[in-house]
Amino acid sequence: MPGQPISEVMFLPAFKVAAAEGAVVELKMRLLAGKISALQKHAHKIVLEDIEAGLIEHFGAALSDEDKETLRLCRQLRNKVLHSDFCAARDKLSELGIASSPGGVMKIDLSVVTVIEVAKKIEAAKAGTEGIRVADTLSTDAGSVFGWFLEAWQSGDFAKASAAFKSAAEIVDRLAGIEGA
């Protein structure tokens, strides 16, 4: 679309999908808690961890330790994605056993923005004499949200988060199918 920043056109859709899948897990947990009288008090809790704990307590026998860990880590991953802490989100993917590798995004400081200066900086980055790999920084560092946004997209972390959220949603769906749920 004319006038839209390239970051919105190219990279935002993958983030939107991951954020939506994370929100779906939360909604499914809330809906499930809301339909079980013993858990209805949890359905509107502000802290999703409280809802998760109620579901785990109620359905404990039907959940493996891996299921419980998946729900816990996907809740934390959801928070990291929604709050744009993409470095920490990568750590959560790792804790889920989902391998991620650096996307190769480089942070280059440009004090003078001219075509010539940009070209020089790019050539220096290619030669390894300029810039720093975003994957070697924290997403909470000053000015790094955009770099980590690109890094998460380039490395496929948003797609991996979406897949993790879908697996968590499948666990909640399975619980919803248990008689008496």
Side-chain angles (χ1 to χ4, degrees):
M1 298 207 121
Q4 279 189 304
I6 194 166
S7 60
E8 288 185 20
V9 174
M10 289 183 63
F11 313 121
L12 196 57
F15 169 80
K16 285 181 175 181
V17 170
E21 292 295 345
V24 165
V25 174
E26 177 176 347
L27 177 61
K28 286 184 175 209
M29 291 174 78
R30 289 181 184 281
L31 290 172
L32 180 55
K35 76 179 207 174
I36 300 167
S37 59
L39 298 177
Q40 287 176 350
K41 65 183 178 229
H42 296 289
H44 288 289
K45 294 272 185 172
I46 292 173
V47 179
L48 187 58
E49 185 176 4
D50 295 339
I51 299 165
E52 174 194 321
L55 291 171
I56 287 173
E57 183 179 331
H58 185 79
F59 290 104
L63 291 165
S64 68
D65 289 341
E66 183 179 344
D67 291 339
K68 294 172 188 175
E69 189 70 353
T70 296
L71 291 174
R72 181 183 73 80
L73 290 171
C74 280
R75 171 183 43 80
Q76 294 173 352
L77 174 61
R78 174 194 144 281
N79 289 342
K80 301 307 178 193
V81 169
L82 291 178
H83 295 288
S84 303
D85 190 351
F86 304 125
C87 177
R90 180 172 285 172
D91 292 340
K92 291 299 165 191
L93 287 171
S94 178
E95 288 181 57
L96 280 160
I98 300 169
S100 188
S101 56
V105 175
M106 299 289 290
K107 179 181 178 185
I108 301 171
D109 291 323
L110 287 171
S111 54
V112 179
V113 183
T114 65
V115 172
I116 293 171
E117 187 63 22
V118 169
K120 284 181 187 176
K121 294 281 187 166
I122 290 172
E123 287 305 314
K126 287 179 181 178
T129 60
E130 180 72 41
I132 184 169
R133 288 178 350 138
V134 169
D136 294 335
T137 68
L138 297 175
S139 55
T140 54
D141 289 347
S144 67
V145 172
F146 183 70
W148 265 100
F149 174 61
L150 296 179
E151 173 71 20
W153 176 83
Q154 179 68 22
S155 66
D157 286 355
F158 292 137
K160 292 169 187 172
S162 294
F165 294 139
K166 286 177 183 177
S167 69
E170 289 171 4
I171 294 168
V172 178
D173 289 343
R174 190 181 79 236
L175 298 177
I178 293 174
E179 190 173 325

